[in-house]
Amino acid sequence: MVNVLRCELDEPLDRAGFRHAGATIGARIGAERIGASVYEAQAGHPIFPYHYTYAAEEWMYVLSGAPVLRDAGGQRALTSGDLACFPAGHLGAHVSGPGRLILFSADAPGPYVAVYPDSDKVAIWTGVADFGTMTLPRSAAVDYWSGEGSETSSERVTVVREPAAPGRPVVNALDVAADLRRADAPAGSRCREAALSSGLGAERLDATVVELDPGEGCAAYHYEYGRQKWLLVAPGTPTLRHPGGEGVLTAGDLTCFPEGPSGAQRVLNRSDEVARALFISTTGFPANVCYPDSGSWLLRNGPDATELTLPGPRPR
């Protein structure tokens, strides 16, 4: 676990007007399928050049300050709790300060391709260390057959630029209304939730806000195969039950729950104040959930498939 409000930012950048202090945190907390980095941005300085990718879906969550987001729709100021998704494709973005934020990413298989519209460059990383990353001007584009034969010359290739697009939607995870997850839930499990992914246009990651009144908890203690889940604590001091016992969390604590028994977890609120947290997880099926306390399973084999519940062993 790492606290993203207080962690040391030991990866600075100050080059060509792009400036930030940063820290890569995914590996620190055992993540394998979701990447994440924390950035502290300075006023008037973007953290990276304006860009978009064809291999990754990126999410941005504002921790503090008032960073300025530039996307296809222009520029706008953000505030603490704002969450935005940038799917693979031409809907790029960059951020200027002042403020602290997290960038999450979910990579797709295959080469990593990034496009920088301001300088009209393309960067390609094949995944092979010996080749590194190649950055080329888009004006260098040639036909596939160019230079391969001698009978005819290849025509010049026309590079298609980015189409016009609106700005990306932004949801504030601190203010969004959360509804009771199950009206028939027993006392102690009456959490409120707000699903965010569909409103953000996400494809590869899922996001849910969970809100807990004092004495309440979210889903029963469980672990999952087929999904990796992260938890970011917003206001409050919830208690996390995990395979090693229990621990109290504070605002800014970020933890990863890997697939399988080592990722078992349940969040409860044993404090006197309302607690709110943001869950981010991978998507895809099958995604099967085990509830160790009862020995039961929930099997989910597709987005439109009927969920199947397998009860645990009967007591003797």
Side-chain angles (χ1 to χ4, degrees):
M1 181 174 63
V2 61
N3 189 286
V4 292
L5 297 175
R6 301 190 296 268
C7 65
E8 180 182 0
L9 304 181
D10 53 3
E11 300 170 19
L13 174 71
D14 188 355
R15 185 176 181 183
F18 302 100
R19 187 176 300 166
H20 67 253
T24 304
I25 57 176
R28 297 187 191 183
I29 58 176
E32 296 180 350
R33 299 177 60 185
I34 300 176
S37 295
V38 179
Y39 295 98
E40 188 80 38
Q42 298 183 19
H45 292 277
I47 61 174
F48 289 120
Y50 183 70
H51 69 281
Y52 60 88
T53 74
Y54 283 105
E57 177 172 289
E58 297 182 322
W59 289 51
M60 178 188 65
Y61 180 80
V62 178
L63 294 165
S64 62
V68 177
L69 168 66
R70 174 188 169 191
D71 61 14
Q75 296 191 60
R76 54 191 147 151
L78 303 178
T79 189
S80 298
D82 278 347
L83 181 70
C85 168
F86 306 99
H90 69 276
L91 301 175
H94 80 195
V95 184
S96 303
R100 180 176 283 220
L101 55 110
I102 310 177
L103 289 181
F104 299 96
S105 66
D107 294 339
Y112 180 91
V113 179
V115 181
Y116 299 87
D118 289 349
S119 54
D120 213 28
K121 299 193 301 287
V122 177
I124 303 170
W125 183 67
T126 63
V128 180
D130 291 345
F131 292 99
T133 300
M134 296 174 287
T135 303
L136 308 169
R138 283 196 281 187
S139 60
V142 296
D143 184 86
Y144 176 80
W145 301 103
S146 179
E148 302 299 327
S150 58
E151 294 185 3
T152 60
S153 60
S154 298
E155 295 182 0
R156 184 176 180 85
V157 174
T158 300
V159 177
V160 179
R161 265 49 181 197
E162 294 73 28
R168 298 299 301 163
V170 174
V171 175
N172 192 282
L174 301 179
D175 296 335
V176 65
D179 300 317
L180 192 62
R181 181 171 178 265
R182 282 181 47 201
D184 61 343
S189 298
R190 297 176 62 82
C191 69
R192 292 185 294 274
E193 295 185 356
L196 306 182
S197 299
S198 60
L200 293 172
E203 297 176 354
R204 298 176 185 166
L205 292 177
D206 199 8
T208 303
V209 166
V210 173
E211 190 173 70
L212 299 172
D213 289 328
E216 299 294 343
C218 60
Y221 186 64
H222 66 283
Y223 60 85
E224 196 162 356
Y225 285 104
R227 300 280 173 89
Q228 178 175 288
K229 184 182 294 185
W230 290 43
L231 167 68
L232 174 63
V233 179
T237 54
T239 296
L240 173 65
R241 179 186 171 190
H242 53 82
E246 291 187 353
V248 177
L249 305 178
T250 60
D253 281 346
L254 179 68
T255 188
C256 172
F257 307 116
E259 297 182 57
S262 62
Q265 45 86 22
R266 188 187 186 205
V267 179
L268 309 104
N269 186 6
R270 296 201 174 107
S271 74
D272 296 327
E273 299 179 351
V274 174
R276 180 173 278 226
L278 175 67
F279 283 95
I280 292 180
S281 72
T282 56
T283 58
F285 294 93
N288 300 321
V289 185
C290 176
Y291 300 90
D293 292 345
S294 64
S296 61
W297 284 82
L298 175 64
L299 307 183
R300 299 174 295 178
N301 293 314
D304 301 319
T306 301
E307 294 183 348
L308 178 63
T309 300
L310 302 180
R314 294 181 179 179
R316 296 181 180 179

